[in-house]
Amino acid sequence: MNPILTVHNLIVRRGGVTVLDINELKVETSRILALIGPNGAGKSTLLLTMAGLLKPSMGLIHYQGMSVDSSASRFNMRRSVCVVFQEPLLLNTSVYKNVALGLKLRHLTGSEIERSVEESLDYFGISFLAKRSAKTLSGGESKRVSLARAFALKPQLILLDEAFNSLDPPTRETLIDDLRNILEKTKITAVLALHDREETLRLAQDVSVMAEGRIIQSGTTAKIFNEPESEFVASFVGTETILEGTVENSNADLLGISVAGKIIEAVGNYLPGQNVYCCLRPENITVSPVIPEKISARNVFEAKIQKIIRQAFFYKMILDCGFPLVAYITVSSCEDLGLCEGSMVAVSFKATAVHVMRREK
Amino acid sequence: MELIVQGIIKAFELIISFDPEVMGITWLSLKISGTATFISLFFGVSIGAGVALTDFPGKRIVISLINTGMGLPPVVVGLFVTIMIWRSGPLGFLEILYTPYAMIIAQAIIATPIVMGISLASIQSLPANLRLQILSLGASRLQMAWILIKESKLPLLAAVMAGFGGVISEVGASIMVGGNIKGYSRVLTTATVMETGRGNFDIAIALGIILLILAFLVNLLLTHIQQRQRLR
């Protein structure tokens, strides 16, 4: 794969404080990269730097193989890279004129502008809004207009900062679907700053996890979500259960890991005596009212249901098996099995569902 | 009381009969203050936008100076302009003292900081990311500044109103640099001062009423534009 943009040893300082310190980041052509991390992780600053809107204190940015190191090169890059900010930032004029803004700045002819604006409005399903004043739009509509304004330019690279923030759930859902379809259709390379793991899973092909101005881990979405390299990444990508343990025995890839006096079986290449984390995703835990007699899962424990928390479409169950464990269970399963807080149950999970990470302390 | 009633009656006679002298004075006032406001708009908006959109050391001091300038006492401006264009002054060779040109210069100096201060504040009050968004859509810095100025046209209309209102009603500088020469540099305010001094209250009241009507009409027009913009 050929990266459209690469960042090397990038440092951004503000008021003497280093707010961004990126060793390396590659944005692969025609792929969707999500920058995820908590608030203040530096995602927006990185986007601004990648867009040529913020001059880094140090470091190199290469865009389409060319170094971006002067005002002129930054201006050239800005003509094919576009940022869409969290807030829609529309001008006080009609939707049509807002979407046409970037095209007009490029001095395109009237018919070219018209064609691109109409196409982009159509992409986002807002052609009917063309004549409306931008002031009269709802939050979701404004967001679509600001996205249409960027896509109308047919940029090589689009950078979206928290595109779905402050949208109500149904508006957000449809926008995520539409955006994914448009990105697939147009093959525009995209970098999305997100803090929601569900949005990340639905949109991104690659993920870079950020914290405190640094990139902690980069990889494909599947790799980041299934094989987090640190406790921070694990908790951020939604591995609800992270247990501290020590490898007791290691036998042909099957590990016995002692966790709070119990042995959890897992797969991995670790030596006895090594300190590790056992990470478990809540969707990989099975709950049954009695201990199953025969089951392929290597790990079966008795547990007490401590808490059942209603989520949007399922229950989140907090269990105590000598160590804490979080499981997701559908509403109907929970009702069919008659589970309630305080009940004793059996929990099981496969050895392959346990993601083992080295623990330094 | 009788004095006031007589004054008002006489004033309306002068206005309704389109008294040539009164009309001449009114027209000159509009020309001078209108031109001065136009000049102040050019300098005020460009410098105000420039200060708002660039970061430089001492920016706060500059902004404080501009804000102070919004309340520049006209007599101080009059004094300063008089010294500059006095026969032996640095710009004496222009020989414009006691001409409408001198009045335009003085009034433009009074109005410019008002327009500058309001433009600066209105551009600064736009969302901080808006300029980055416009740049990211491919604008050059100049294009970005122009879009932002257009975006703050409502407050800029307020700046025009404030600037024009400030100079059409100003008397100190006009009298000092214009000299209140009949038919040449006599404007509504300087004429009002003179007629009041002479005890010709009827004419003074007539001029005062015209000044009020003028200020009202100009503001009515601008408010109309502003409200129409707001509703669009």
Side-chain angles (χ1 to χ4, degrees):
Chain A
M1 275 184 290
N2 199 11
I4 187 167
L5 187 138
T6 55
V7 165
H8 286 287
N9 302 322
L10 185 86
I11 290 183
V12 175
R13 290 195 192 93
R14 271 185 189 161
V17 181
T18 303
V19 291
L20 208 58
D21 183 355
I22 309 287
N23 282 336
E24 192 182 42
L25 178 70
K26 281 184 184 164
V27 181
E28 303 289 350
T29 309
S30 296
R31 284 180 72 84
I32 305 166
L33 166 71
L35 298 174
I36 62 170
N39 289 336
K43 305 182 294 273
S44 301
T45 312
L46 179 55
L47 282 190
L48 291 184
T49 317
M50 286 161 72
L53 293 171
L54 185 68
K55 200 176 152 195
S57 313
M58 249 202 274
L60 290 173
I61 296 176
H62 283 86
Y63 175 67
Q64 293 184 323
M66 307 278 277
S67 174
V68 183
D69 52 6
S70 62
S71 301
S73 58
R74 265 191 292 278
F75 178 69
N76 285 336
M77 183 169 81
R78 284 211 307 267
R79 286 266 157 134
S80 67
V81 177
C82 192
V83 185
V84 178
F85 286 85
Q86 280 189 45
E87 60 270 44
L89 298 169
L90 301 178
L91 300 181
N92 182 17
T93 175
S94 70
V95 166
Y96 184 94
K97 284 188 178 163
N98 265 290
V99 178
L101 179 64
L103 300 160
K104 271 198 176 160
L105 292 169
R106 286 160 174 76
H107 304 296
L108 297 182
T109 64
S111 60
E112 284 172 315
I113 292 177
E114 198 171 323
R115 202 172 47 240
S116 296
V117 171
E118 280 171 5
E119 187 186 40
S120 196
L121 287 172
D122 185 46
Y123 272 161
F124 286 92
I126 48 169
S127 301
F128 66 100
L129 292 176
K131 286 183 182 160
R132 281 262 294 275
S133 160
K135 263 193 172 177
T136 62
L137 303 177
S138 69
E141 289 168 339
S142 305
K143 193 80 223 184
R144 280 175 183 263
V145 174
S146 83
L147 287 165
R149 178 170 63 178
F151 276 85
L153 303 172
K154 301 193 173 63
Q156 301 286 312
L157 171 62
I158 195 156
L159 310 162
L160 308 181
D161 193 6
E162 303 283 5
F164 314 105
N165 255 15
S166 68
L167 294 180
D168 57 79
T171 310
R172 179 174 152 267
E173 291 300 306
T174 48
L175 186 57
I176 293 176
D177 286 341
D178 287 353
L179 185 63
R180 192 183 49 207
N181 293 337
I182 293 163
L183 286 171
E184 263 173 27
K185 194 149 83 181
T186 56
K187 296 268 177 284
I188 294 176
T189 313
V191 180
L192 319 172
L194 298 171
H195 64 245
D196 184 282
R197 53 179 92 110
E198 190 205 323
E199 289 167 3
T200 310
L201 281 168
R202 286 172 65 180
L203 284 163
Q205 295 159 321
D206 299 311
V207 175
S208 285
V209 186
M210 293 187 70
E212 294 173 348
R214 290 164 189 273
I215 290 181
I216 310 287
Q217 190 182 349
S218 288
T220 61
T221 306
K223 190 166 169 68
I224 297 286
F225 276 74
N226 293 319
E227 299 166 43
E229 282 171 5
S230 62
E231 189 189 356
F232 174 79
V233 176
S235 64
F236 200 79
V237 298
T239 312
E240 299 256 8
T241 306
I242 303 167
L243 304 165
E244 290 186 5
T246 308
V247 178
E248 283 288 308
N249 52 66
S250 157
N251 185 5
D253 286 350
L254 196 62
L255 305 171
I257 300 165
S258 151
V259 174
K262 305 265 170 88
I263 297 289
I264 292 180
E265 291 194 10
V267 289
N269 190 13
Y270 290 89
L271 296 171
Q274 274 188 319
N275 288 329
V276 292
Y277 286 114
C278 293
C279 304
L280 279 158
R281 300 189 64 86
E283 57 270 28
N284 289 338
I285 313 290
T286 310
V287 179
S288 49
V290 289
I291 292 186
E293 280 184 14
K294 282 184 179 170
I295 186 168
S296 75
R298 302 287 304 176
N299 297 290
V300 181
F301 298 100
E302 273 200 319
K304 185 178 176 186
I305 301 175
Q306 286 199 312
K307 209 164 188 163
I308 299 177
I309 305 156
R310 178 84 203 228
Q311 307 282 308
F313 305 107
F314 53 85
Y315 287 123
K316 175 177 173 177
M317 205 170 260
I318 298 171
L319 300 139
D320 177 16
C321 2
F323 51 82
L325 196 63
V326 180
Y328 289 163
I329 180 165
T330 57
V331 175
S332 38
S333 283
C334 191
E335 283 166 4
D336 289 351
L337 299 175
L339 302 176
C340 58
E341 287 180 6
S343 329
M344 290 303 292
V345 289
V347 295
S348 50
F349 49 91
K350 296 155 84 83
T352 50
V354 186
H355 173 63
V356 185
M357 280 186 315
R358 185 184 305 278
R359 175 164 63 94
E360 297 307 330
K361 42 191 193 293
Chain B
M1 193 62 200
E2 201 189 313
L3 198 68
I4 299 171
V5 175
Q6 264 183 3
I8 292 174
I9 293 168
K10 173 81 177 168
F12 276 100
E13 274 173 21
L14 284 170
I15 297 167
I16 293 162
S17 66
F18 286 99
D19 180 80
E21 196 183 341
V22 172
M23 288 305 127
I25 291 174
T26 308
W27 179 232
L28 189 66
S29 285
L30 279 174
K31 273 201 293 193
I32 291 177
S33 297
T35 312
T37 309
F38 187 76
I39 294 170
S40 73
L41 207 59
F42 177 76
F43 289 106
V45 173
S46 50
I47 298 173
V51 173
L53 295 175
T54 41
D55 285 318
F56 53 89
K59 181 169 173 171
R60 281 188 186 188
I61 296 172
V62 171
I63 293 175
S64 303
L65 284 173
I66 293 172
N67 288 337
T68 311
M70 289 176 83
L72 218 52
V75 283
V76 176
V77 176
L79 170 67
F80 175 75
V81 175
T82 305
I83 293 170
M84 293 301 281
I85 60 177
W86 196 257
R87 198 179 294 270
S88 57
L91 299 173
F93 65 91
L94 294 172
E95 296 184 348
I96 52 168
L97 187 59
Y98 305 132
T99 65
Y101 301 110
M103 295 166 77
I104 290 172
I105 292 173
Q107 292 196 357
I109 292 175
I110 295 166
T112 299
I114 300 175
V115 175
M116 208 185 282
I118 298 176
S119 325
L120 193 148
S122 64
I123 288 180
Q124 276 192 325
S125 69
L126 292 171
N129 278 341
L130 183 60
R131 31 183 124 147
L132 293 179
Q133 179 68 83
I134 294 169
L135 286 177
S136 182
L137 289 166
S140 66
R141 296 211 159 257
L142 215 59
Q143 285 174 319
M144 181 261 290
W146 180 237
I147 292 170
L148 291 179
I149 288 170
K150 283 201 294 185
E151 192 60 11
S152 41
K153 52 183 175 267
L154 286 188
L156 289 181
L157 272 174
V160 176
M161 288 188 213
F164 184 79
V167 292
I168 192 129
S169 59
E170 168 289 318
V171 63
S174 292
I175 229 163
M176 286 164 87
V177 304
N180 193 29
I181 301 165
K182 188 178 176 185
Y184 182 59
S185 64
R186 182 166 296 168
V187 290
L188 287 165
T189 51
T190 58
T192 309
V193 170
M194 186 192 68
E195 298 296 353
T196 309
R198 284 179 181 170
N200 296 334
F201 294 120
D202 46 0
I203 301 179
I205 291 173
L207 295 169
I209 289 173
I210 292 175
L211 194 58
L212 282 172
I213 292 173
L214 220 53
F216 176 72
L217 286 179
V218 169
N219 280 293
L220 189 72
L221 177 73
L222 293 172
T223 310
H224 176 70
I225 299 171
Q226 198 181 41
Q227 291 302 317
R228 207 181 52 189
Q229 290 279 343
R230 197 182 291 280
L231 289 171
R232 207 176 62 182

